[in-house]
Amino acid sequence: MKLFLALAATAFVVLPSVQAAKEVFAHVIVGNVRSLDNADWEDNIKLAQEAKIDAFVLNIAQGDDGNEASLQTIFKAAENLNFKVFFSFDYKAKGPWPKEAVLDHITRFGASSAYFKTDEDKLFMSTFEGPDNAADWVDIKTATNSFFVPDWSSRNPADAVGLADGVADGLFSFDAWPNGDTNITTQADIAFQNALGNKAYMMAVSPWFYTNLNNPDFTKNWLWRGDELWDTRWAQVMEIQPEFVEILTWNDYGESHYIGPVREKELGLFATSAPIPYVENMSHDGWRKFLPFYIEQYKTGTAPAEFEEKVAAYYRTAPALACPDGGTTGNNEDFGEVEEPPQNLMDDSVFYGALLTSDKGVTVTVKIGENEQTGTFTTVPANGAGTPGVYRGSVPFGGNNGDVVVTISRDGQVVATAEGGKPLGATCEFDIQNWNAVAV
Ligand SMILES: *[C@@H]1O[C@H](CO)[C@@H](O)[C@H](O)[C@H]1NC(C)=O
Ligand SMILES: *[C@@H]1O[C@H](CO)[C@@H](O)[C@H](O)[C@H]1NC(C)=O
């Protein structure tokens, strides 16, 4: 498990929880959206609604002078389209939120019909960090009738659940990426659930992680293994059955874990702070394809009776050793991990998933340029081969380059294709490796 600070043990109090319906949210970095207008937000919301996402979590940094205009635009678009949003107060990006500023935001925006509420009609509140300000929330909760699910991942779960006499109604864990060349496990999720007792657990699901930013405010340059992560994690959601799921993220381009569209005008950060434009033209749209299926399965406990069969694929756009690694480390010792060369954690492969009613009679072909490989399914749905769900596998780049097209056929008939992403290159486009992926 990843802890953002040192461990500390303390006693904790378990209060009766408010059981809410299962909900799926997506994390939005409001600091990235200054340039977006109403039409952009209506587009974002429609895409989220198509994916069956219930609400956007609005991460707001304290004192950011772009917040107010962005929030007005977002709430208006959400009201118009009958979508929901709620706040995650970021206590780390620009320092802790003063209690009065939190109260002011909740008072003004909590009255909107777009503000997300629990089944008990409480306003849903979250944070990014801020455990030292836990006591503020005793009054904030009372004054605003809120349901409070902070991310205090810098503390261990037992410590976090006990802060300010157990002020949290649940906890969000930001721990969404594996340590080393492994698949993520549910060990940390189970630790949270155990510490929480009958309080709510909000589980993080993320498709990728690569960041390479350098400016006066911060320097960060590492990756965590993203191969197989997205679909593995959704399978874990079905096992863990958390009260809430938060997708990390909709638009955090700087850490390459966006599942929303790449909008050129949101990429200003890269011009000033990144050695290469590692997000431009790197669509992640493919990571939304199976969400309606996954989300319905999570909410009902069984695979939907009817769904459209689809295929999705993701790959990096050059072999790992095609150019220097850019100083990017695999893992990060600030998280207590052993750093290793990034190519140890990332395979030069095209990963595909097929959402099928059954794999009976199904074949997979992966074309890279003129070369065609036949794929197999190495991972099948939890109920086994022949059952509805996502079937997965990968093929190596194998020295090929060009457009990537993954085709699923059944008894010779094409069922679905995934294509149209940036081509796989033989060499790097820039002087250092872009460790981001394309998802189609
Ligand atoms: C991850 O899990 C898949 C099965 O879902 C397996 O095929 C693969 O080998 C695992 N990868 C690693 C690095 O453990
Ligand atoms: C992105 O695509 C546009 C349009 O094809 C092109 O002009 C631009 O150079 C591309 N940028 C990168 C970084 O690939």
Side-chain angles (χ1 to χ4, degrees):
M1 151 183 6
K2 263 173 208 115
L3 288 178
F4 286 61
L5 290 173
L7 300 180
T10 186
F12 61 90
V13 187
V14 178
L15 300 171
S17 81
V18 183
Q19 284 306 320
K22 293 175 184 172
E23 308 277 354
V24 177
F25 311 127
H27 193 90
V28 169
I29 307 285
V30 174
N32 285 352
V33 303
R34 261 171 209 257
S35 57
L36 300 194
D37 58 21
N38 185 67
D40 297 320
W41 276 105
E42 295 209 338
D43 185 54
N44 271 335
I45 290 168
K46 285 175 187 163
L47 292 172
Q49 286 172 326
E50 277 168 25
K52 304 292 180 203
I53 290 167
D54 295 295
F56 282 142
V57 185
L58 306 177
N59 170 284
I60 43 177
Q62 187 274 126
D64 184 332
D65 61 10
N67 284 347
E68 191 63 27
S70 296
L71 292 176
Q72 297 290 351
T73 308
I74 297 169
F75 272 87
K76 186 157 170 279
E79 285 166 6
N80 285 343
L81 293 173
N82 198 21
F83 193 58
K84 303 294 173 197
V85 298
F86 65 87
F87 289 138
S88 169
F89 294 92
D90 190 326
Y91 283 76
K92 217 173 165 192
K94 298 189 181 202
W97 277 83
K99 187 168 141 186
E100 299 67 34
V102 172
L103 281 166
D104 170 67
H105 273 73
I106 301 176
T107 307
R108 291 188 300 119
F109 290 96
S112 165
S113 61
Y115 202 98
F116 181 81
K117 291 179 176 162
T118 65
D119 292 350
E120 273 76 21
D121 219 32
K122 289 177 183 256
L123 298 168
F124 202 100
M125 298 293 153
S126 191
T127 71
F128 181 68
E129 288 304 329
D132 296 340
N133 298 71
D136 291 359
W137 283 87
V138 175
D139 292 342
I140 297 169
K141 268 179 58 176
T142 312
T144 59
N145 193 29
S146 294
F147 187 76
F148 183 46
V149 185
D151 160 60
W152 288 333
S153 305
S154 60
R155 304 290 181 91
N156 74 47
D159 183 4
V161 86
L163 290 175
D165 294 326
V167 71
D169 297 299
L171 290 174
F172 175 45
S173 164
F174 229 79
D175 194 352
W177 302 278
N179 174 357
D181 187 19
T182 55
N183 287 315
I184 192 167
T185 72
T186 52
Q187 209 186 324
D189 305 295
I190 291 167
F192 267 90
Q193 285 184 318
N194 288 343
L196 282 159
N198 55 6
K199 291 188 173 198
Y201 178 49
M202 184 147 77
M203 178 171 168
V205 179
S206 187
W208 204 256
F209 191 104
Y210 159 56
T211 185
N212 188 353
L213 296 173
N214 196 338
N215 65 32
D217 296 329
F218 51 82
T219 296
K220 47 192 218 175
N221 189 3
W222 82 95
L223 61 77
W224 280 311
R225 179 170 181 266
D227 295 352
E228 304 181 77
L229 179 61
W230 181 241
D231 301 286
T232 299
R233 196 66 179 146
W234 277 104
Q236 293 174 353
V237 167
M238 310 310 156
E239 292 167 24
I240 290 290
Q241 292 291 326
E243 281 73 19
F244 305 104
V245 171
E246 185 168 329
I247 295 168
L248 297 177
T249 56
W250 185 261
N251 72 336
D252 192 336
Y253 304 108
E255 294 185 352
S256 308
H257 43 60
Y258 51 95
I259 63 159
V262 173
R263 292 179 210 280
E264 197 66 29
K265 58 186 174 178
E266 280 186 272
L267 302 181
L269 172 72
F270 292 85
T272 56
S273 310
I276 58 170
Y278 56 87
V279 169
E280 203 174 317
N281 300 340
M282 302 289 278
S283 168
H284 285 183
D285 292 348
W287 278 320
R288 294 197 307 274
K289 280 188 177 176
F290 302 159
L291 283 180
F293 179 90
Y294 284 145
I295 293 173
E296 189 174 337
Q297 191 182 21
Y298 157 60
K299 290 185 175 183
T300 64
T302 52
E306 281 180 35
F307 57 88
E308 188 191 338
E309 295 188 308
K310 292 180 189 174
V311 59
Y314 55 96
Y315 53 91
R316 286 178 295 99
T317 51
L321 300 180
C323 58
D325 64 20
T328 302
T329 57
N331 281 353
N332 183 339
E333 61 186 18
D334 292 346
F335 293 87
E337 298 167 341
V338 178
E339 293 182 355
E340 49 184 314
Q343 67 269 19
N344 288 9
L345 308 193
M346 296 286 196
D347 290 343
D348 286 341
S349 297
V350 175
F351 294 87
Y352 49 81
L355 174 59
L356 301 170
T357 53
S358 163
D359 62 335
K360 214 161 174 284
V362 168
T363 53
V364 188
T365 56
V366 180
K367 260 188 102 178
I368 304 175
E370 293 307 306
N371 178 274
E372 192 167 293
Q373 302 182 62
T374 300
T376 57
F377 294 126
T378 48
T379 306
V380 302
N383 291 337
T387 68
V390 176
Y391 292 77
R392 294 186 276 144
S394 64
V395 299
F397 293 168
N400 302 297
N401 59 82
D403 288 324
V404 175
V405 183
V406 181
T407 305
I408 302 290
S409 307
R410 182 182 281 114
D411 304 326
Q413 302 277 353
V414 172
V415 173
T417 54
E419 62 187 324
K422 189 165 174 163
L424 171 59
T427 55
C428 294
E429 198 176 359
F430 311 107
D431 51 347
I432 62 167
Q433 185 60 249
N434 178 359
W435 297 101
N436 189 7
V438 167
V440 292

